[in-house]
Amino acid sequence: GENVEQHPSTLSVQEGDSAVIKCTYSDSASNYFPWYKQELGKRPQLIIDIRSNVGEKKDQRIAVTLNKTAKHFSLHITETQPEDSAVYFCAASVTNAGKSTFGDGTTLTVKP
Amino acid sequence: GAVVSQHPSWVICKSGTSVKIECRSLDFQATTMFWYRQFPKQSLMLMATSNEGSKATYEQGVEKDKFLINHASLTLSTLTVTSAHPEDSSFYICSVRPPGPRGYTFGSGTRLTVV
């Protein structure tokens, strides 16, 4: 089955700096890669996603890159703000199968 | 759009009792729903895939007789934790893929505490 590894497990940055979280996956059939933000005690919220036919996608301060050959994808957050502090999860799935495999999560702390 | 409702949001039960958790897609139909479990400070672990009108597909290591899943309609899936034990205490959350290009939407989650 699919195996998703996520690094780092914790990340602390100063407000205004950039944050990068990286994930690797094992199943070459995976073609959908979402990123979720989860605040304490709340549900994960989809913040951005990318499909395997695209190398990069950007939405304001958030961007995701995908390298299919190397089987890794990354989340980039620029101009970080304290409200970006949360746990971020990457995931991988084969869309026609539906189920997602999640990374272990990254706890991002943005210091004001 | 793409609202997923989960109920209850939290529940405390005694060891040996059963607890039912509901996951509803409010504004779309879903033939498939997913159930995850999340322990504190850990990732989401897929427990099973709920299939409307047929048996659920359980992940390896998940006891199907303990975690009963019923997907009787296109908008409702239920997870029943039977004969609950303290080690079943966890955050249970459902996920549904709505129509359109966006990805999965999660329910609000259920915090189960077994005492």
Side-chain angles (χ1 to χ4, degrees):
Chain A
E2 176 67 279
N3 181 47
V4 177
E5 294 189 358
Q6 183 172 345
H7 299 280
S9 56
T10 60
L11 179 60
S12 181
V13 299
Q14 207 66 37
E15 182 176 2
D17 288 349
S18 296
V20 180
I21 303 170
K22 298 181 179 182
C23 287
T24 61
Y25 62 99
S26 62
D27 189 350
S28 56
S30 290
N31 58 11
Y32 177 67
F33 308 93
W35 286 89
Y36 294 89
K37 175 183 180 182
Q38 186 178 29
E39 298 176 346
L40 190 62
K42 296 187 177 180
R43 75 183 84 188
Q45 297 274 8
L46 178 69
I47 57 172
I48 196 167
D49 56 9
I50 192 168
R51 299 178 191 280
S52 59
N53 59 346
V54 175
E56 183 175 358
K57 184 176 179 180
K58 190 174 181 180
D59 183 3
Q60 299 182 341
R61 297 187 296 110
I62 296 173
V64 57
T65 59
L66 170 65
N67 184 325
K68 280 186 61 179
T69 304
K71 296 198 192 72
H72 66 71
F73 55 112
S74 301
L75 176 71
H76 303 253
I77 306 174
T78 59
E79 300 172 30
T80 54
Q81 301 166 3
E83 49 266 38
D84 294 329
S85 297
V87 180
Y88 291 81
F89 292 98
C90 64
S93 69
V94 178
T95 51
N96 60 356
K99 61 182 181 180
S100 294
T101 301
F102 284 81
D104 288 339
T106 296
T107 301
L108 173 64
T109 303
V110 180
K111 298 178 181 178
Chain B
V3 178
V4 178
S5 171
Q6 189 170 338
H7 179 82
S9 56
W10 61 271
V11 57
I12 302 173
C13 71
K14 292 183 178 180
S15 288
T17 61
S18 295
V19 174
K20 180 185 283 189
I21 302 169
E22 294 185 348
C23 179
R24 293 180 185 272
S25 54
L26 298 185
D27 51 0
F28 63 97
Q29 295 181 332
T31 56
T32 303
M33 296 184 179
F34 302 95
W35 286 98
Y36 291 86
R37 180 167 55 185
Q38 185 177 35
F39 291 108
K41 297 185 179 182
Q42 293 190 23
S43 189
L44 295 104
M45 299 301 296
L46 180 66
M47 300 176 65
T49 303
S50 175
N51 304 300
E52 188 268 335
S54 64
K55 292 181 179 180
T57 306
Y58 289 83
E59 294 301 300
Q60 192 172 6
V62 178
E63 300 176 57
K64 61 180 181 181
D65 294 330
K66 181 169 183 61
F67 299 100
L68 301 179
I69 290 173
N70 185 290
H71 195 152
S73 77
L74 288 170
T75 58
L76 173 64
S77 174
T78 61
L79 167 68
T80 300
V81 183
T82 63
S83 187
H85 292 287
E87 55 265 32
D88 297 325
S89 299
S90 187
F91 189 60
Y92 293 87
I93 192 165
C94 65
S95 171
V96 189
R97 177 76 186 275
R102 292 292 276 178
Y104 301 90
T105 298
F106 283 89
S108 54
T110 298
R111 176 78 54 195
L112 170 63
T113 302
V114 184
V115 297

